[in-house]
Amino acid sequence: MNLSEKASKIAPSMTLEITAKANQMKSRGIDVIGFGAGEPDFQTPDYIKKAAIEAIDKGFTKYTPASGIFELKEAISEKLKKDNNLLYDPSQIVISNGAKHSIYNALCAILNPGDEVIIPSPYWLSYPEMVRLADGIPVFIDTDASNDFKITEEQLEMAINNKTKAIIINSPNNPTGTVYSEMELKNIANIAIKHNIFVISDEIYEKLIYEGKHVSIASFNDDIKKLTIVINGMSKAYAMTGWRIGYSASDRNIAKLIGNIQSHTTSNPNSIAQYASIKALRSDNDIINSMVKEFDRRRNFMVERINKIKGLKCNKPQGAFYVMVNISNYIGVNIDGIIINGSIDFANFLLEKANVAVIPCLPFGVDNYIRLSYATSIENIEKGLSRIDDVLNNI
């Protein structure tokens, strides 16, 4: 029996093997330090948990409108106005099962078969697969550390053709931690307007910025706002990864299509998590600020320590909670009879020899980097980096 050709072309996660191996080692009692976490290591704040319990006690456990409850849409509208200088009516907001779901819905709403979507590389590994699932074609623009992993105006202009439908901008960025400045975003906006292409602006790490400030590309003028689909959610800023609440804000016509798509696929996101998210958005940011302060402390420590390790180097990320580490000095090196051909080999080496789990960046579009998350304690960071330092010094 022939199965779906489209589904068969979707790449499995190249990191699963290393993650499974690390978990197997832990199950045998081996002390593995993990730098793979894509979520805050803080607990969801108590006032959000309490709001969820209250929602259960009040019986808010039934179906909601497929695109989300009006009260949460109102709270998101208030947030976008206060934080981002963006005016969206609740009807322009669709609440989904996490920001990833929101991105996929957006792609399904705008793409026709063969449409191209520009993705700056390195990129979050799900972007190209979601584009392919929505019958689009991902087009990559390579960036490098010398420009802090940002695309230039010239690169963007060269990548655009009559098949280009959209560009995905992720600022702050996973995996690089890059934050685009207001001027850089204005330049991208002007090009998008000139060529009439959509911008999917993934702003899920918006609150986790340590240098500069977050600016939403949709905030510059009505022309770019009409072309932009703003993506955000509760996962990163509020340590609510498992609650699965994301949202999109877009032109009414796009929002209507997104709502229609969702109504026939997942229906509404979790009702209890929606009510808890209202409380999160309408409360003060003291807990977020303390979390950001701790992340900043870890970031500074990790970057300084990595750049002292033999053969490794990294830029200092401006946002999110990841560090991209350049391992080029070890590519092609024979270590204990094993030739390091790329990031997966290097990640396996660190796991086997140092009991440290890192994320290879081949799935992110670059094979001479690994990604380390500092969403773990400063003690774990110090211990894990010391282990890496020790094994590399013995080569």
Side-chain angles (χ1 to χ4, degrees), residues 173-189:
N173 181 272
N174 173 15
T176 67
T178 292
V179 176
Y180 281 85
S181 70
E182 182 173 350
M183 183 54 66
E184 290 164 339
L185 288 173
K186 282 184 176 178
N187 291 336
I188 293 171

Side-chain angles (χ1 to χ4, degrees), residues 79 83-84 171-172 203-209 214 232:
K79 178 262 178 233
D83 292 350
N84 309 112
S171 178
E203 304 179 15
I204 190 66
Y205 292 97
E206 166 196 16
K207 298 289 186 182
L208 305 180
I209 289 185
H214 174 74
N232 212 321

Side-chain angles (χ1 to χ4, degrees), residues 25-211:
M25 291 169 66
K26 288 179 182 179
S27 70
R28 299 201 308 267
I30 299 173
D31 179 25
V32 176
I33 300 296
F35 287 125
E39 60 183 345
D41 57 318
F42 301 92
Q43 286 294 315
T44 303
D46 287 341
Y47 63 88
I48 299 175
K49 296 178 185 177
K50 183 178 178 182
I53 294 169
E54 290 175 354
I56 293 172
D57 288 340
K58 291 177 180 178
F60 296 149
T61 57
K62 307 295 184 181
Y63 291 132
T64 77
S67 62
I69 58 175
F70 182 79
E71 298 93 326
L72 180 52
K73 293 184 179 186
E74 276 192 316
I76 291 169
S77 293
E78 294 165 7
K79 178 262 178 233
L80 291 169
K81 180 180 179 181
K82 180 181 68 174
D83 292 350
N84 309 112
N85 195 30
L86 288 170
L87 296 178
Y88 284 102
D89 186 82
S91 65
Q92 296 176 266
I93 292 164
V94 178
I95 301 154
S96 302
N97 298 282
K100 178 188 286 189
H101 186 205
S102 297
I103 295 168
Y104 181 61
N105 281 345
L107 289 166
C108 288
I110 65 172
L111 294 183
N112 290 305
D115 284 345
E116 294 183 355
V117 178
I118 294 171
I119 303 174
S121 177
Y123 47 78
W124 182 46
L125 77 172
S126 289
Y127 290 152
E129 304 307 334
M130 287 193 286
V131 169
R132 293 183 182 107
L133 281 169
D135 291 325
I137 299 171
V139 174
F140 305 108
I141 296 179
D142 292 331
T143 65
D144 57 54
S146 64
N147 194 40
D148 205 21
F149 302 105
K150 298 175 183 178
I151 58 170
T152 65
E153 296 172 71
E154 293 76 18
Q155 285 180 305
L156 181 53
E157 284 281 7
M158 288 181 63
I160 294 173
N161 59 50
N162 59 5
K163 294 182 180 179
T164 305
K165 194 63 164 290
I167 179 173
I168 298 177
I169 296 294
N170 177 209
S171 178
N173 181 272
N174 173 15
T176 67
T178 292
V179 176
Y180 281 85
S181 70
E182 182 173 350
M183 183 54 66
E184 290 164 339
L185 288 173
K186 282 184 176 178
N187 291 336
I188 293 171
N190 290 337
I191 294 173
I193 293 168
K194 173 184 172 183
H195 295 281
N196 195 36
I197 62 175
F198 291 109
V199 177
I200 296 178
S201 183
D202 183 354
E203 304 179 15
I204 190 66
Y205 292 97
E206 166 196 16
K207 298 289 186 182
L208 305 180
I209 289 185
Y210 319 103
E211 299 174 23

Side-chain angles (χ1 to χ4, degrees), residues 216-248:
S216 178
I217 194 170
S219 66
F220 299 138
N221 55 58
D222 288 340
D223 289 335
I224 190 60
K225 182 184 176 188
K226 187 175 180 64
L227 289 169
T228 301
I229 304 170
V230 176
I231 304 292
N232 212 321
M234 309 305 295
S235 294
K236 311 301 182 180
Y238 299 93
M240 293 175 67
T241 51
W243 298 66
R244 307 315 300 139
I245 296 293
Y247 58 85
S248 61

